[in-house]
Amino acid sequence: MTDALALLTDRLREALGTEFGEIRFWGFAVVRPNDRAWRLESVSREGESVLLGLCDAGGTPVPALLCIEQPVGLTLSAHGLTLERAARLGFDGHEAWPEPDGRSYGLATPRGTGRFEIQGLPALTLQV
């Protein structure tokens, strides 16, 4: 996976500077549309994880990390980016992971935890 992860990381760097108004983990809105805008400032690797450094696009100098463990299936477009699969996602007090059944994912937020069906949705969506 290391070579694939290096290629994926290089491709993510193509999106540096892109602003996203929506962040979704398997369809769950971690950041709802138009609630807040984030700009992709950095891309780095730590083991089998990719770390995306995001800054508030509104000018607030509060960096945040989006951690993606074992990402697979990157698509970049004018509308943003998607990752088809990941072993775990984490951002701003939210975490999500696929359950062993492969049909659902677990989600932990500052408000509680839950389990939801994946329904063919990509693991991560950052939408412009």
Side-chain angles (χ1 to χ4, degrees), residues 16-30:
L16 286 172
T18 303
E19 293 184 8
F20 304 98
E22 187 173 334
I23 299 173
R24 292 185 179 267
F25 294 174
W26 285 283
F28 177 84
V30 174

Side-chain angles (χ1 to χ4, degrees), residues 4 11 13 15-17 21-22 28 44-45 49 52 55 65 71-72 77 100 108 112-115 123 125-126:
R11 290 212 44 234
R13 287 190 178 104
L16 286 172
E22 187 173 334
F28 177 84
S44 61
R45 281 182 50 195
S49 296
L52 303 182
C55 285
L65 281 179
V72 175
S77 74
T113 60
R115 184 176 172 187
T125 304
L126 301 179

Side-chain angles (χ1 to χ4, degrees), residues 4 44 46 66 77 89 91 121 126:
S44 61
E46 190 172 287
L66 193 153
S77 74
L89 300 166
F91 179 72
L121 295 168
L126 301 179

Side-chain angles (χ1 to χ4, degrees), residues 5 14 21 23 26 31 35-36 41 44-45 47 58 64 68 71 77 85 100 105 110 113 117 120-121:
L5 193 55
E14 295 173 24
I23 299 173
W26 285 283
V31 174
D35 271 3
R36 193 167 182 186
E41 291 291 321
S44 61
R45 281 182 50 195
I68 310 160
S77 74
R85 295 189 318 269
Y105 67 96
T113 60
E117 288 190 31
L121 295 168

Side-chain angles (χ1 to χ4, degrees), residues 26 28 99 103-107 113-119:
W26 285 283
F28 177 84
E99 295 288 352
R103 295 177 298 167
S104 59
Y105 67 96
L107 178 71
T113 60
R115 184 176 172 187
F116 305 93
E117 288 190 31
I118 291 175
Q119 300 179 3

